[in-house]
Amino acid sequence: MIDADRIAFLNGEFVALGEARIPVLDRGFIFGDGVYEVIPLYARQPFRMEQHLKRLQHSLDGIRLANPHPIAEWERLIGELASRQPFADQAVYLQVTRGVAKRDHAFPQGAAPTVFMMSNPLVVPSAEQVERGVAVITAQDNRWLRCDLKTTSLVGNVLMRQLAADRGVIETVMFRDGHLTEASASNVLIAHAGAIVAPPKDNLILPGITYDATLEIARDAGVPVEVRPISHAEALGADEMWLSSSSKEVLAVTRVDDKPFGGGSPGPLFRRVWEAFQRWKPH
Ligand SMILES: Cc1ncc(COP(=O)(O)O)c(C=O)c1O
């Protein structure tokens, strides 16, 4: 259900979410021609805002769209949006599209970008999910080759996530050309023989802010970290597999394709890194 009274932001104004309107010719609607970010806030304190705004710039550069706001203005707008919500732990969603224009694939001349933001309650995994781990399925990654851009053209990810939903599991972990990429809305890391192994942040995966945070926390805790391609056989034979994202934080995978994985319960490295993550995030 849409929370119609919640305060959102559209093109310079704070408005009720249920009142926010865009024209049907918005290129975000017509072409998925836009980019977005999701920034978690714990107790109204943004987590890694600077890194999220840097990734926003990377996505905007990737689709050749000028950033409508300087960083300080984004920070002010996000802060104001967050201060207008009745809940403290938030996931601020922001989206910039190439604006409203006559339908033509080529970029329009002089269209103003559409800037939309809303904030939802940040729902992190339940104690049971952390304790028992979660189930995933695997699939071939059939998305485009610019998965490093956080674009609103998400139908490839939507179809992957629905495969998981159809099977009653949390995520679809993808492989391309025999190597692990990521999941439909999270990054995937493995742990083997006491080390964490992560796929490189190339054009085939979203450079996750939580992925970076997890690797930093692991290094600080003295856990060896390797960043390199991971084969299908290595991923499926690993001691541990984890998902990471702004809302999942870091979460252990304990079933893959209907079979127990890693002994069927979260492994020791997961517990260590999860605990460090909890201490480390804003309170
Ligand atoms: C495809 C994909 N990969 C990875 C992530 C994780 O990124 P982050 O940790 O910045 O939330 C997301 C986040 O939603 C995603 O959609």
Side-chain angles (χ1 to χ4, degrees):
M1 203 189 65
I2 294 173
D3 205 333
D5 295 334
R6 190 179 298 163
I7 296 297
F9 174 90
L10 181 62
N11 294 333
E13 284 175 48
F14 288 93
V15 291
L17 184 57
E19 302 295 312
R21 299 274 182 277
I22 56 156
V24 291
L25 286 179
D26 194 284
R27 290 175 63 98
F29 180 61
I30 297 283
F31 293 120
D33 186 5
V35 299
Y36 75 107
E37 270 300 325
V38 179
I39 305 171
L41 285 80
Y42 294 95
R44 293 203 166 76
Q45 297 172 69
F47 182 63
R48 306 213 137 188
M49 170 101 91
E50 188 189 334
Q51 288 88 336
H52 279 279
L53 292 176
K54 239 190 202 157
R55 186 172 66 185
L56 173 68
Q57 186 64 55
H58 172 77
S59 299
L60 287 165
D61 291 345
I63 70 161
R64 298 165 57 189
L65 181 59
N67 195 332
H69 298 303
I71 284 179
E73 180 67 355
W74 277 118
E75 288 175 348
R76 190 185 72 73
L77 292 172
I78 291 164
E80 180 162 356
L81 181 72
S83 72
R84 289 176 176 237
Q85 310 304 323
F87 38 87
D89 292 342
Q90 304 184 25
V92 168
Y93 174 93
L94 68 87
Q95 165 171 343
V96 184
T97 80
R98 211 180 304 275
V100 179
K102 178 173 173 295
R103 186 181 182 280
D104 177 14
H105 291 57
F107 298 169
Q109 297 288 319
T114 300
V115 180
F116 170 66
M117 295 199 284
M118 64 181 164
S119 185
N120 294 311
L122 177 66
V123 181
V124 298
S126 65
E128 191 193 339
Q129 286 177 315
V130 172
E131 201 47 45
R132 300 180 57 172
V134 295
V136 303
I137 54 167
T138 60
Q140 291 300 318
D141 195 341
N142 58 10
R143 300 171 304 158
W144 73 330
L145 296 173
R146 290 307 307 275
C147 295
D148 57 314
L149 304 178
K150 205 164 169 65
T151 71
T152 59
S153 324
L154 279 175
V155 73
N157 301 58
V158 165
L159 291 172
M160 285 294 165
R161 175 74 177 81
Q162 187 58 35
L163 282 183
D166 290 343
R167 302 273 291 274
V169 301
I170 195 168
E171 262 291 21
T172 300
V173 170
M174 296 180 278
F175 294 86
R176 194 193 289 269
D177 299 331
H179 287 89
L180 174 67
T181 54
E182 60 180 344
S184 74
S186 25
N187 289 110
V188 182
L189 316 172
I190 62 166
H192 199 66
I196 297 173
V197 192
K201 290 192 292 178
D202 54 18
N203 61 309
L204 301 180
I205 71 170
L206 188 79
I209 307 300
T210 322
Y211 161 116
D212 281 342
T214 304
L215 295 188
E216 269 178 53
I217 289 169
R219 287 189 183 104
D220 282 356
V223 180
V225 171
E226 296 170 33
V227 176
R228 57 171 172 77
I230 300 168
S231 73
H232 185 264
E234 185 179 10
L236 295 188
D239 294 338
E240 303 184 29
M241 183 184 287
W242 309 345
L243 303 173
S244 77
S245 82
S246 294
S247 59
K248 294 187 192 75
E249 300 183 334
V250 56
L251 195 54
V253 170
T254 49
R255 276 187 92 74
V256 176
D257 292 331
D258 269 336
K259 289 190 278 297
F261 185 88
S265 56
L269 271 184
F270 169 76
R271 289 180 192 285
R272 212 166 128 193
V273 170
W274 183 85
E275 273 164 23
F277 194 104
Q278 299 308 307
R279 284 196 300 275
W280 199 70
K281 73 186 191 187
H283 290 282

